[in-house]
Amino acid sequence: MKPKPKLTLLAETFNVSVATVSNALSGKGRISPELAQRIRDGAREIGYVPSSAGRALRTGRSGVLGLVLPDISNPLFPQIAQAIEQAASTRGYGVLIGDARGSTEGQSQAINRLLERGVDGMLVIPRRGTRVTDIGRPLAMIDSPSTPGNTVSADHHDGGVKMGTYLAELGHQHVLIVAMSSRSIVQADRIEGLKQGLGEQARVELIFTEDLAEQDGAVGSLGLADYVARGVTAVATLSDLTALRVLTELQGAGFSVPDRVSVTGFDDLIWSSAITPGLTTMRADMAEIGRIAVEALVKSIERPDQAERTESGTVKASPDRVAMELLVRPSSGKAGHSEVTS
């Protein structure tokens, strides 16, 4: 007996017409979100893959989204890419990735390459200090809530507030913040949040690794021993990669973490719980950020008359920010010694 076509099988399973199934899989028609999601889940269970060529002929769209990352060698960005690919797949879209390779020129080239390949819309995590606006396609921006044209992102300022408050509650009154770049809006938001959370009574010092690299090279010392000698009891970094560098320098200089100095990070990279000591950090809900960004972008592609845009012309989403979560691990503890002056 010849098996039934999968569209027919799905229609019978959910007691709807084949047209309704087709609309649910393509994101068209007046179908409740709950039913559309159940049909898409059912399609995945039976291994149904819509023909991208057939859909392109029917809709005039490629069924592909572009994603531009600042630097794919940074372990944070593959995590974001995976979340976005999963969200796009749920809506029946594929994803092509472009890598800016850490430069503004590379970002422009990656955007142009994806446009040449006919993507229906694009998601961009911009290189720090840059803005992307009119590309001739629906555009979703993932950066920071204070970035003009931001679509959705982690709430970096609130994440900083949570980390600063946590350190203040542990008694840390002299804190060194180690950032990477003064041009990063994301890091600027985290810095301001940390200062707010630590409170006005705290003594806060700030260094940028990019500035130090210009003087001493990319692998030069951060001078942490001098800061600890002056009474710093906690080093709050703005990325787990920087935190790893801080931990290595402190432990190499003979300082116990967290007994003498606490160390914290941001991003919860895959190895952050496996190093010794495990790193206290802030986690962003990548899956939720990816889902919101993709949903807003797909709506702009498929229902442009209903989509909202920011003043910069990028796709607007609601909510536009997702709370970060504090993960407490052994790299942080109570301030263990009184402030020392040299």
Side-chain angles (χ1 to χ4, degrees):
M1 183 178 178
K2 185 178 179 180
K4 294 181 179 180
K6 291 184 176 180
L7 279 181
T8 302
L9 182 60
L10 286 168
E12 292 179 353
T13 300
F14 295 100
N15 194 28
V16 296
S17 68
V18 171
T20 297
V21 172
S22 179
N23 287 339
L25 298 176
S26 64
K28 297 173 61 178
R30 296 182 179 275
I31 307 169
S32 71
E34 295 79 11
L35 176 58
Q37 186 61 55
R38 286 168 52 208
I39 292 173
R40 287 194 291 268
D41 291 343
R44 281 199 303 275
E45 289 177 5
I46 66 173
Y48 175 69
V49 180
S51 167
S52 58
R55 181 168 66 176
L57 289 172
R58 292 192 306 272
T59 66
R61 298 193 295 265
S62 66
V64 177
L65 306 177
L67 170 62
V68 177
L69 302 173
D71 186 349
I72 205 168
S73 66
N74 184 320
L76 170 65
F77 297 123
Q79 292 182 22
I80 297 175
Q82 185 179 52
I84 288 173
E85 193 281 332
Q86 176 61 43
S89 176
T90 302
R91 292 305 307 268
Y93 283 78
V95 177
L96 286 178
I97 296 176
D99 182 13
R101 300 189 182 95
S103 74
T104 302
E105 181 183 2
Q107 178 174 279
S108 298
Q109 292 173 347
I111 289 171
N112 289 333
R113 283 195 301 270
L114 293 174
L115 290 174
E116 289 171 358
R117 283 160 175 76
V119 297
D120 294 327
M122 198 174 302
L123 303 104
V124 176
I125 303 171
R127 172 73 177 160
R128 55 180 173 265
T130 66
R131 290 176 62 185
V132 181
T133 52
D134 186 13
I135 63 170
R137 299 280 197 288
L139 169 66
M141 185 88 69
I142 302 174
D143 194 28
S144 191
S146 60
T147 301
N150 185 68
T151 300
V152 63
S153 64
D155 193 337
H156 300 287
H157 180 273
D158 184 61
V161 172
K162 289 175 179 175
M163 184 64 80
T165 301
Y166 166 71
L167 290 173
E169 290 173 347
L170 291 175
H172 295 285
Q173 294 296 302
H174 191 173
V175 177
L176 173 66
I177 298 176
V178 183
M180 293 179 65
S181 172
S182 59
R183 294 173 295 149
S184 169
I185 296 178
V186 166
Q187 297 216 346
D189 283 353
R190 292 177 177 180
I191 291 168
E192 290 306 310
L194 274 164
K195 290 179 177 179
Q196 180 179 326
L198 286 165
E200 295 181 358
Q201 75 284 354
R203 179 181 176 186
V204 180
E205 300 189 62
L206 171 65
I207 59 175
F208 292 99
T209 58
E210 278 192 352
D211 294 343
L212 296 176
E214 292 179 1
Q215 304 170 18
D216 306 320
V219 294
S221 169
L222 298 175
L224 299 179
D226 291 337
Y227 286 99
V228 177
R230 295 204 302 269
V232 163
T233 62
V235 180
T237 74
L238 303 188
S239 75
D240 289 359
L241 284 174
T242 304
L244 181 60
R245 180 178 177 182
V246 166
L247 280 170
T248 301
E249 183 170 325
L250 287 172
Q251 292 171 334
F255 294 109
S256 175
V257 178
D259 295 334
R260 184 70 188 277
V261 192
S262 287
V263 178
T264 62
F266 263 84
D267 299 330
D268 190 33
L269 298 181
I270 192 169
W271 43 260
S272 298
S273 62
I275 60 176
T276 302
L279 183 62
T280 293
T281 188
M282 296 297 305
R283 174 191 289 166
D285 189 342
M286 299 299 186
E288 182 65 3
I289 292 170
R291 184 194 67 79
I292 293 172
V294 168
E295 288 293 329
L297 186 61
V298 168
K299 182 178 181 180
S300 185
I301 292 168
E302 298 180 353
R303 299 185 178 93
D305 57 321
Q306 300 178 22
E308 294 184 79
R309 296 184 182 275
T310 68
E311 292 182 0
S312 300
T314 50
V315 173
K316 191 174 184 179
S318 181
D320 66 351
R321 64 198 68 192
V322 176
M324 301 190 80
E325 177 187 5
L326 172 64
L327 301 176
V328 176
R329 297 188 180 119
S331 72
S332 60
K334 292 183 178 180
H337 67 290
S338 59
E339 189 165 298
V340 178
T341 56
S342 56

